[in-house]
Amino acid sequence: MKRFLLLIVLVAAVSFPAGAARGDKERDRLHEAGVVLQEILDVPDNIPKPLLERAECVIVLPSVKKLAVGVGGSYGRGAMTCRTGQHYTGGWSAPAMYALEGANIGFQLGGNATDFVLLVMNARGARSMLKSKVRLGADAAAAAGPKGRTAEAATDIVMRAEVLSYSRARGLFAGISLEGSTLRQDNGANENIYGRKLTAEQIIRGGAVRTPAAGQTLVSLLNSKAPRNQSDPKSLR
């Protein structure tokens, strides 16, 4: 009996630090998502403000890594937050953690790690993102996002795309196509952050949790930079 109790204590001692470490890692990633978006929005030729104001959701994936030589593809993790309210007209929600996978991500700007920002531009795109897994270009129309003054010349792209994507590597910022890549809910990361199993739908649309401390930078930034949804009301349905 004593040996059995000792075994339980040892297992708990090993498991608790490991679980705590994973939670810390996810919280660091969530905080970094806010820092990355702040840095991108601080540069002159960045995401056009009218597009950010029209976005229903924003996804930030810091430091997406290229897989080992010979393996191909890329993998990264980050967070998504959406506007609250039935028609996405409220403030920004608590963030849900997501993972990006795909052979077509590419690293056109060079470097070993790239930051990505995705704008979800209408309610249909938002609903697609809240599925367990979505393939960009198939389940949601995706395109490289215009930046700075080029946004005015890219009206057709903006009108057609449900998701606009941007990348930053080695200080260079540009629109980039992620078509063919897959976004999925990172259920393990969400559980580590919120302490229980929750879907992205419950976190973002159901209001099941409040924004954690690690997510305050991201959510507060969006509430400051894009507090009101400026989309055409028809796109909110």
mmCIF file of all heavy atoms in Angstrom, residues 170-216:
data_model
loop_
_atom_site.group_PDB
_atom_site.id
_atom_site.type_symbol
_atom_site.label_atom_id
_atom_site.label_comp_id
_atom_site.label_asym_id
_atom_site.label_seq_id
_atom_site.Cartn_x
_atom_site.Cartn_y
_atom_site.Cartn_z
ATOM 1 N N ARG A 170 12.608 38.796 -40.918
ATOM 2 C CA ARG A 170 13.796 39.662 -40.964
ATOM 3 C C ARG A 170 13.420 41.129 -41.153
ATOM 4 O O ARG A 170 14.087 41.878 -41.879
ATOM 5 C CB ARG A 170 14.742 39.212 -42.082
ATOM 6 C CG ARG A 170 15.412 37.877 -41.803
ATOM 7 C CD ARG A 170 16.410 37.520 -42.883
ATOM 8 N NE ARG A 170 17.120 36.282 -42.579
ATOM 9 C CZ ARG A 170 18.017 35.718 -43.366
ATOM 10 N NH1 ARG A 170 18.325 36.287 -44.528
ATOM 11 N NH2 ARG A 170 18.619 34.604 -43.035
ATOM 12 N N GLY A 171 12.348 41.531 -40.542
ATOM 13 C CA GLY A 171 11.932 42.917 -40.603
ATOM 14 C C GLY A 171 11.169 43.308 -41.846
ATOM 15 O O GLY A 171 10.705 44.440 -41.962
ATOM 16 N N LEU A 172 11.044 42.399 -42.820
ATOM 17 C CA LEU A 172 10.316 42.692 -44.051
ATOM 18 C C LEU A 172 8.873 42.228 -43.920
ATOM 19 O O LEU A 172 8.603 41.112 -43.496
ATOM 20 C CB LEU A 172 10.992 42.001 -45.241
ATOM 21 C CG LEU A 172 12.436 42.405 -45.524
ATOM 22 C CD1 LEU A 172 13.010 41.555 -46.647
ATOM 23 C CD2 LEU A 172 12.517 43.883 -45.875
ATOM 24 N N PHE A 173 7.946 43.090 -44.329
ATOM 25 C CA PHE A 173 6.521 42.819 -44.175
ATOM 26 C C PHE A 173 5.851 42.820 -45.543
ATOM 27 O O PHE A 173 6.116 43.699 -46.370
ATOM 28 C CB PHE A 173 5.883 43.882 -43.281
ATOM 29 C CG PHE A 173 4.410 43.706 -43.082
ATOM 30 C CD1 PHE A 173 3.923 42.676 -42.287
ATOM 31 C CD2 PHE A 173 3.502 44.554 -43.691
ATOM 32 C CE1 PHE A 173 2.562 42.500 -42.101
ATOM 33 C CE2 PHE A 173 2.142 44.392 -43.512
ATOM 34 C CZ PHE A 173 1.676 43.359 -42.711
ATOM 35 N N ALA A 174 4.994 41.829 -45.800
ATOM 36 C CA ALA A 174 4.349 41.749 -47.113
ATOM 37 C C ALA A 174 3.111 40.872 -47.032
ATOM 38 O O ALA A 174 2.960 40.054 -46.120
ATOM 39 C CB ALA A 174 5.322 41.164 -48.146
ATOM 40 N N GLY A 175 2.215 41.059 -48.016
ATOM 41 C CA GLY A 175 1.107 40.133 -48.170
ATOM 42 C C GLY A 175 1.639 38.830 -48.733
ATOM 43 O O GLY A 175 2.594 38.828 -49.521
ATOM 44 N N ILE A 176 1.061 37.714 -48.320
ATOM 45 C CA ILE A 176 1.553 36.412 -48.766
ATOM 46 C C ILE A 176 0.393 35.427 -48.846
ATOM 47 O O ILE A 176 -0.530 35.482 -48.025
ATOM 48 C CB ILE A 176 2.637 35.882 -47.793
ATOM 49 C CG1 ILE A 176 3.317 34.631 -48.343
ATOM 50 C CG2 ILE A 176 2.056 35.612 -46.422
ATOM 51 C CD1 ILE A 176 4.541 34.213 -47.542
ATOM 52 N N SER A 177 0.402 34.572 -49.833
ATOM 53 C CA SER A 177 -0.670 33.599 -49.985
ATOM 54 C C SER A 177 -0.399 32.362 -49.131
ATOM 55 O O SER A 177 0.686 31.793 -49.171
ATOM 56 C CB SER A 177 -0.809 33.180 -51.449
ATOM 57 O OG SER A 177 -1.777 32.152 -51.570
ATOM 58 N N LEU A 178 -1.404 31.958 -48.364
ATOM 59 C CA LEU A 178 -1.323 30.729 -47.573
ATOM 60 C C LEU A 178 -2.282 29.678 -48.105
ATOM 61 O O LEU A 178 -2.627 28.726 -47.407
ATOM 62 C CB LEU A 178 -1.646 31.029 -46.100
ATOM 63 C CG LEU A 178 -0.660 31.934 -45.367
ATOM 64 C CD1 LEU A 178 -1.109 32.161 -43.939
ATOM 65 C CD2 LEU A 178 0.739 31.336 -45.392
ATOM 66 N N GLU A 179 -2.707 29.857 -49.360
ATOM 67 C CA GLU A 179 -3.655 28.919 -49.952
ATOM 68 C C GLU A 179 -3.085 27.504 -49.948
ATOM 69 O O GLU A 179 -1.934 27.278 -50.302
ATOM 70 C CB GLU A 179 -3.983 29.351 -51.383
ATOM 71 C CG GLU A 179 -5.136 28.585 -51.994
ATOM 72 C CD GLU A 179 -5.648 29.235 -53.271
ATOM 73 O OE1 GLU A 179 -5.482 30.463 -53.419
ATOM 74 O OE2 GLU A 179 -6.209 28.514 -54.104
ATOM 75 N N GLY A 180 -3.896 26.552 -49.511
ATOM 76 C CA GLY A 180 -3.462 25.170 -49.414
ATOM 77 C C GLY A 180 -3.013 24.777 -48.026
ATOM 78 O O GLY A 180 -2.888 23.591 -47.720
ATOM 79 N N SER A 181 -2.780 25.761 -47.161
ATOM 80 C CA SER A 181 -2.405 25.472 -45.782
ATOM 81 C C SER A 181 -3.653 25.162 -44.959
ATOM 82 O O SER A 181 -4.768 25.488 -45.347
ATOM 83 C CB SER A 181 -1.664 26.660 -45.177
ATOM 84 O OG SER A 181 -0.515 26.963 -45.930
ATOM 85 N N THR A 182 -3.449 24.554 -43.810
ATOM 86 C CA THR A 182 -4.546 24.151 -42.941
ATOM 87 C C THR A 182 -4.443 24.837 -41.584
ATOM 88 O O THR A 182 -3.368 24.874 -40.979
ATOM 89 C CB THR A 182 -4.548 22.627 -42.736
ATOM 90 O OG1 THR A 182 -4.713 21.979 -43.995
ATOM 91 C CG2 THR A 182 -5.672 22.195 -41.815
ATOM 92 N N LEU A 183 -5.555 25.362 -41.133
ATOM 93 C CA LEU A 183 -5.668 25.918 -39.784
ATOM 94 C C LEU A 183 -6.559 24.998 -38.966
ATOM 95 O O LEU A 183 -7.634 24.610 -39.415
ATOM 96 C CB LEU A 183 -6.280 27.319 -39.819
ATOM 97 C CG LEU A 183 -5.342 28.516 -39.908
ATOM 98 C CD1 LEU A 183 -6.153 29.774 -40.163
ATOM 99 C CD2 LEU A 183 -4.522 28.676 -38.630
ATOM 100 N N ARG A 184 -6.115 24.684 -37.758
ATOM 101 C CA ARG A 184 -6.953 23.856 -36.893
ATOM 102 C C ARG A 184 -6.909 24.389 -35.468
ATOM 103 O O ARG A 184 -5.948 25.046 -35.054
ATOM 104 C CB ARG A 184 -6.486 22.408 -36.910
ATOM 105 C CG ARG A 184 -5.077 22.189 -36.404
ATOM 106 C CD ARG A 184 -4.741 20.721 -36.246
ATOM 107 N NE ARG A 184 -3.358 20.515 -35.843
ATOM 108 C CZ ARG A 184 -2.925 20.623 -34.580
ATOM 109 N NH1 ARG A 184 -3.766 20.946 -33.613
ATOM 110 N NH2 ARG A 184 -1.644 20.415 -34.291
ATOM 111 N N GLN A 185 -7.958 24.080 -34.714
ATOM 112 C CA GLN A 185 -7.981 24.445 -33.317
ATOM 113 C C GLN A 185 -6.892 23.678 -32.570
ATOM 114 O O GLN A 185 -6.713 22.495 -32.784
ATOM 115 C CB GLN A 185 -9.340 24.111 -32.701
ATOM 116 C CG GLN A 185 -10.501 24.855 -33.328
ATOM 117 C CD GLN A 185 -11.825 24.468 -32.711
ATOM 118 O OE1 GLN A 185 -11.898 24.195 -31.523
ATOM 119 N NE2 GLN A 185 -12.876 24.445 -33.510
ATOM 120 N N ASP A 186 -6.179 24.372 -31.701
ATOM 121 C CA ASP A 186 -5.142 23.740 -30.882
ATOM 122 C C ASP A 186 -5.765 23.427 -29.521
ATOM 123 O O ASP A 186 -5.632 24.185 -28.558
ATOM 124 C CB ASP A 186 -3.947 24.680 -30.742
ATOM 125 C CG ASP A 186 -2.711 23.973 -30.202
ATOM 126 O OD1 ASP A 186 -2.864 22.898 -29.596
ATOM 127 O OD2 ASP A 186 -1.594 24.497 -30.371
ATOM 128 N N ASN A 187 -6.466 22.300 -29.462
ATOM 129 C CA ASN A 187 -7.250 21.973 -28.274
ATOM 130 C C ASN A 187 -6.398 21.825 -27.019
ATOM 131 O O ASN A 187 -6.800 22.247 -25.933
ATOM 132 C CB ASN A 187 -8.052 20.690 -28.515
ATOM 133 C CG ASN A 187 -9.095 20.860 -29.606
ATOM 134 O OD1 ASN A 187 -9.730 21.899 -29.708
ATOM 135 N ND2 ASN A 187 -9.268 19.847 -30.435
ATOM 136 N N GLY A 188 -5.223 21.220 -27.164
ATOM 137 C CA GLY A 188 -4.350 21.058 -26.015
ATOM 138 C C GLY A 188 -3.889 22.394 -25.449
ATOM 139 O O GLY A 188 -3.851 22.591 -24.230
ATOM 140 N N ALA A 189 -3.555 23.319 -26.332
ATOM 141 C CA ALA A 189 -3.120 24.648 -25.891
ATOM 142 C C ALA A 189 -4.259 25.391 -25.208
ATOM 143 O O ALA A 189 -4.056 26.063 -24.186
ATOM 144 C CB ALA A 189 -2.602 25.452 -27.083
ATOM 145 N N ASN A 190 -5.462 25.282 -25.748
ATOM 146 C CA ASN A 190 -6.615 25.945 -25.124
ATOM 147 C C ASN A 190 -6.867 25.390 -23.732
ATOM 148 O O ASN A 190 -7.179 26.144 -22.793
ATOM 149 C CB ASN A 190 -7.856 25.769 -26.000
ATOM 150 C CG ASN A 190 -7.827 26.667 -27.223
ATOM 151 O OD1 ASN A 190 -7.364 27.806 -27.157
ATOM 152 N ND2 ASN A 190 -8.293 26.160 -28.348
ATOM 153 N N GLU A 191 -6.733 24.081 -23.580
ATOM 154 C CA GLU A 191 -6.938 23.475 -22.255
ATOM 155 C C GLU A 191 -5.862 23.935 -21.282
ATOM 156 O O GLU A 191 -6.147 24.208 -20.109
ATOM 157 C CB GLU A 191 -6.928 21.949 -22.377
ATOM 158 C CG GLU A 191 -7.244 21.247 -21.063
ATOM 159 C CD GLU A 191 -7.364 19.745 -21.203
ATOM 160 O OE1 GLU A 191 -7.203 19.228 -22.335
ATOM 161 O OE2 GLU A 191 -7.611 19.075 -20.179
ATOM 162 N N ASN A 192 -4.621 24.043 -21.742
ATOM 163 C CA ASN A 192 -3.539 24.503 -20.875
ATOM 164 C C ASN A 192 -3.750 25.933 -20.412
ATOM 165 O O ASN A 192 -3.440 26.294 -19.273
ATOM 166 C CB ASN A 192 -2.198 24.391 -21.602
ATOM 167 C CG ASN A 192 -1.719 22.957 -21.725
ATOM 168 O OD1 ASN A 192 -2.060 22.114 -20.910
ATOM 169 N ND2 ASN A 192 -0.941 22.674 -22.753
ATOM 170 N N ILE A 193 -4.283 26.774 -21.282
ATOM 171 C CA ILE A 193 -4.471 28.176 -20.941
ATOM 172 C C ILE A 193 -5.696 28.400 -20.054
ATOM 173 O O ILE A 193 -5.652 29.143 -19.069
ATOM 174 C CB ILE A 193 -4.572 29.028 -22.225
ATOM 175 C CG1 ILE A 193 -3.188 29.174 -22.849
ATOM 176 C CG2 ILE A 193 -5.168 30.411 -21.935
ATOM 177 C CD1 ILE A 193 -3.161 29.932 -24.139
ATOM 178 N N TYR A 194 -6.794 27.731 -20.396
ATOM 179 C CA TYR A 194 -8.053 27.987 -19.686
ATOM 180 C C TYR A 194 -8.378 26.972 -18.596
ATOM 181 O O TYR A 194 -9.361 27.150 -17.867
ATOM 182 C CB TYR A 194 -9.197 28.062 -20.693
ATOM 183 C CG TYR A 194 -9.083 29.267 -21.606
ATOM 184 C CD1 TYR A 194 -8.724 29.135 -22.944
ATOM 185 C CD2 TYR A 194 -9.304 30.558 -21.114
ATOM 186 C CE1 TYR A 194 -8.602 30.241 -23.772
ATOM 187 C CE2 TYR A 194 -9.185 31.670 -21.932
ATOM 188 C CZ TYR A 194 -8.834 31.511 -23.264
ATOM 189 O OH TYR A 194 -8.712 32.606 -24.068
ATOM 190 N N GLY A 195 -7.580 25.926 -18.497
ATOM 191 C CA GLY A 195 -7.761 24.979 -17.408
ATOM 192 C C GLY A 195 -8.859 23.959 -17.601
ATOM 193 O O GLY A 195 -9.140 23.167 -16.689
ATOM 194 N N ARG A 196 -9.483 23.941 -18.754
ATOM 195 C CA ARG A 196 -10.508 22.939 -19.055
ATOM 196 C C ARG A 196 -10.665 22.826 -20.565
ATOM 197 O O ARG A 196 -10.221 23.696 -21.310
ATOM 198 C CB ARG A 196 -11.851 23.289 -18.415
ATOM 199 C CG ARG A 196 -12.391 24.675 -18.745
ATOM 200 C CD ARG A 196 -13.544 25.016 -17.822
ATOM 201 N NE ARG A 196 -14.001 26.379 -17.939
ATOM 202 C CZ ARG A 196 -15.155 26.740 -18.483
ATOM 203 N NH1 ARG A 196 -15.977 25.813 -18.965
ATOM 204 N NH2 ARG A 196 -15.518 28.004 -18.533
ATOM 205 N N LYS A 197 -11.297 21.746 -20.987
ATOM 206 C CA LYS A 197 -11.487 21.519 -22.410
ATOM 207 C C LYS A 197 -12.565 22.446 -22.955
ATOM 208 O O LYS A 197 -13.692 22.448 -22.466
ATOM 209 C CB LYS A 197 -11.861 20.060 -22.663
ATOM 210 C CG LYS A 197 -10.730 19.089 -22.360
ATOM 211 C CD LYS A 197 -11.131 17.656 -22.692
ATOM 212 C CE LYS A 197 -9.974 16.698 -22.418
ATOM 213 N NZ LYS A 197 -10.339 15.293 -22.732
ATOM 214 N N LEU A 198 -12.186 23.230 -23.959
ATOM 215 C CA LEU A 198 -13.114 24.171 -24.587
ATOM 216 C C LEU A 198 -12.856 24.195 -26.085
ATOM 217 O O LEU A 198 -11.716 24.110 -26.530
ATOM 218 C CB LEU A 198 -12.912 25.589 -24.028
ATOM 219 C CG LEU A 198 -13.295 25.844 -22.568
ATOM 220 C CD1 LEU A 198 -12.713 27.175 -22.117
ATOM 221 C CD2 LEU A 198 -14.810 25.839 -22.393
ATOM 222 N N THR A 199 -13.915 24.341 -26.866
ATOM 223 C CA THR A 199 -13.750 24.517 -28.300
ATOM 224 C C THR A 199 -13.522 25.998 -28.590
ATOM 225 O O THR A 199 -13.827 26.870 -27.758
ATOM 226 C CB THR A 199 -14.994 24.044 -29.063
ATOM 227 O OG1 THR A 199 -16.105 24.884 -28.705
ATOM 228 C CG2 THR A 199 -15.321 22.595 -28.728
ATOM 229 N N ALA A 200 -13.022 26.271 -29.776
ATOM 230 C CA ALA A 200 -12.858 27.673 -30.184
ATOM 231 C C ALA A 200 -14.204 28.383 -30.210
ATOM 232 O O ALA A 200 -14.309 29.565 -29.864
ATOM 233 C CB ALA A 200 -12.188 27.738 -31.553
ATOM 234 N N GLU A 201 -15.240 27.677 -30.612
ATOM 235 C CA GLU A 201 -16.590 28.250 -30.637
ATOM 236 C C GLU A 201 -17.018 28.692 -29.239
ATOM 237 O O GLU A 201 -17.574 29.781 -29.058
ATOM 238 C CB GLU A 201 -17.576 27.208 -31.176
ATOM 239 C CG GLU A 201 -19.014 27.677 -31.236
ATOM 240 C CD GLU A 201 -19.382 28.399 -32.512
ATOM 241 O OE1 GLU A 201 -18.736 28.141 -33.540
ATOM 242 O OE2 GLU A 201 -20.306 29.220 -32.466
ATOM 243 N N GLN A 202 -16.757 27.868 -28.235
ATOM 244 C CA GLN A 202 -17.130 28.211 -26.862
ATOM 245 C C GLN A 202 -16.330 29.404 -26.347
ATOM 246 O O GLN A 202 -16.862 30.267 -25.648
ATOM 247 C CB GLN A 202 -16.909 26.998 -25.948
ATOM 248 C CG GLN A 202 -17.874 25.855 -26.184
ATOM 249 C CD GLN A 202 -17.503 24.608 -25.409
ATOM 250 O OE1 GLN A 202 -16.329 24.229 -25.339
ATOM 251 N NE2 GLN A 202 -18.495 23.965 -24.817
ATOM 252 N N ILE A 203 -15.057 29.453 -26.702
ATOM 253 C CA ILE A 203 -14.199 30.545 -26.237
ATOM 254 C C ILE A 203 -14.563 31.858 -26.909
ATOM 255 O O ILE A 203 -14.742 32.895 -26.248
ATOM 256 C CB ILE A 203 -12.719 30.210 -26.507
ATOM 257 C CG1 ILE A 203 -12.287 28.996 -25.688
ATOM 258 C CG2 ILE A 203 -11.819 31.412 -26.192
ATOM 259 C CD1 ILE A 203 -10.939 28.426 -26.095
ATOM 260 N N ILE A 204 -14.678 31.816 -28.237
ATOM 261 C CA ILE A 204 -14.813 33.048 -29.020
ATOM 262 C C ILE A 204 -16.256 33.516 -29.138
ATOM 263 O O ILE A 204 -16.548 34.702 -28.961
ATOM 264 C CB ILE A 204 -14.188 32.845 -30.414
ATOM 265 C CG1 ILE A 204 -12.664 32.715 -30.275
ATOM 266 C CG2 ILE A 204 -14.541 33.985 -31.363
ATOM 267 C CD1 ILE A 204 -11.951 32.379 -31.567
ATOM 268 N N ARG A 205 -17.165 32.610 -29.437
ATOM 269 C CA ARG A 205 -18.552 32.997 -29.662
ATOM 270 C C ARG A 205 -19.443 32.768 -28.443
ATOM 271 O O ARG A 205 -20.437 33.462 -28.253
ATOM 272 C CB ARG A 205 -19.123 32.224 -30.860
ATOM 273 C CG ARG A 205 -18.387 32.455 -32.157
ATOM 274 C CD ARG A 205 -18.445 33.887 -32.626
ATOM 275 N NE ARG A 205 -19.772 34.246 -33.096
ATOM 276 C CZ ARG A 205 -20.211 35.507 -33.206
ATOM 277 N NH1 ARG A 205 -19.426 36.509 -32.852
ATOM 278 N NH2 ARG A 205 -21.417 35.747 -33.653
ATOM 279 N N GLY A 206 -19.081 31.768 -27.630
ATOM 280 C CA GLY A 206 -19.926 31.439 -26.481
ATOM 281 C C GLY A 206 -19.641 32.251 -25.237
ATOM 282 O O GLY A 206 -20.425 32.227 -24.287
ATOM 283 N N GLY A 207 -18.511 32.967 -25.228
ATOM 284 C CA GLY A 207 -18.180 33.768 -24.053
ATOM 285 C C GLY A 207 -17.978 32.929 -22.804
ATOM 286 O O GLY A 207 -18.256 33.369 -21.686
ATOM 287 N N ALA A 208 -17.459 31.711 -22.974
ATOM 288 C CA ALA A 208 -17.315 30.787 -21.844
ATOM 289 C C ALA A 208 -16.219 31.212 -20.875
ATOM 290 O O ALA A 208 -16.227 30.806 -19.711
ATOM 291 C CB ALA A 208 -17.028 29.373 -22.365
ATOM 292 N N VAL A 209 -15.279 32.029 -21.342
ATOM 293 C CA VAL A 209 -14.156 32.445 -20.505
ATOM 294 C C VAL A 209 -13.823 33.912 -20.770
ATOM 295 O O VAL A 209 -14.198 34.476 -21.794
ATOM 296 C CB VAL A 209 -12.896 31.584 -20.782
ATOM 297 C CG1 VAL A 209 -13.073 30.179 -20.249
ATOM 298 C CG2 VAL A 209 -12.582 31.551 -22.270
ATOM 299 N N ARG A 210 -13.115 34.486 -19.822
ATOM 300 C CA ARG A 210 -12.614 35.847 -20.009
ATOM 301 C C ARG A 210 -11.212 35.810 -20.600
ATOM 302 O O ARG A 210 -10.521 34.797 -20.538
ATOM 303 C CB ARG A 210 -12.587 36.577 -18.657
ATOM 304 C CG ARG A 210 -13.966 36.807 -18.057
ATOM 305 C CD ARG A 210 -13.863 37.604 -16.776
ATOM 306 N NE ARG A 210 -15.170 37.886 -16.201
ATOM 307 C CZ ARG A 210 -15.356 38.584 -15.082
ATOM 308 N NH1 ARG A 210 -14.305 39.067 -14.418
ATOM 309 N NH2 ARG A 210 -16.578 38.795 -14.633
ATOM 310 N N THR A 211 -10.810 36.930 -21.154
ATOM 311 C CA THR A 211 -9.462 37.019 -21.715
ATOM 312 C C THR A 211 -8.429 36.853 -20.609
ATOM 313 O O THR A 211 -8.451 37.590 -19.625
ATOM 314 C CB THR A 211 -9.251 38.376 -22.405
ATOM 315 O OG1 THR A 211 -10.211 38.520 -23.454
ATOM 316 C CG2 THR A 211 -7.843 38.481 -22.986
ATOM 317 N N PRO A 212 -7.524 35.881 -20.732
ATOM 318 C CA PRO A 212 -6.485 35.703 -19.704
ATOM 319 C C PRO A 212 -5.459 36.823 -19.770
ATOM 320 O O PRO A 212 -5.393 37.560 -20.759
ATOM 321 C CB PRO A 212 -5.870 34.354 -20.074
ATOM 322 C CG PRO A 212 -6.080 34.240 -21.544
ATOM 323 C CD PRO A 212 -7.397 34.909 -21.829
ATOM 324 N N ALA A 213 -4.666 36.925 -18.723
ATOM 325 C CA ALA A 213 -3.657 37.991 -18.663
ATOM 326 C C ALA A 213 -2.731 37.949 -19.879
ATOM 327 O O ALA A 213 -2.371 38.996 -20.435
ATOM 328 C CB ALA A 213 -2.847 37.861 -17.374
ATOM 329 N N ALA A 214 -2.363 36.753 -20.318
ATOM 330 C CA ALA A 214 -1.440 36.625 -21.452
ATOM 331 C C ALA A 214 -2.045 37.124 -22.754
ATOM 332 O O ALA A 214 -1.322 37.460 -23.696
ATOM 333 C CB ALA A 214 -1.016 35.163 -21.615
ATOM 334 N N GLY A 215 -3.373 37.190 -22.832
ATOM 335 C CA GLY A 215 -4.037 37.632 -24.052
ATOM 336 C C GLY A 215 -4.435 39.092 -24.055
ATOM 337 O O GLY A 215 -4.978 39.599 -25.046
ATOM 338 N N GLN A 216 -4.150 39.792 -22.955
ATOM 339 C CA GLN A 216 -4.584 41.180 -22.842
ATOM 340 C C GLN A 216 -3.915 42.095 -23.859
ATOM 341 O O GLN A 216 -4.537 43.016 -24.386
ATOM 342 C CB GLN A 216 -4.324 41.698 -21.422
ATOM 343 C CG GLN A 216 -5.250 41.133 -20.358
ATOM 344 C CD GLN A 216 -6.692 41.564 -20.560
ATOM 345 O OE1 GLN A 216 -6.977 42.574 -21.210
ATOM 346 N NE2 GLN A 216 -7.615 40.798 -19.988
#
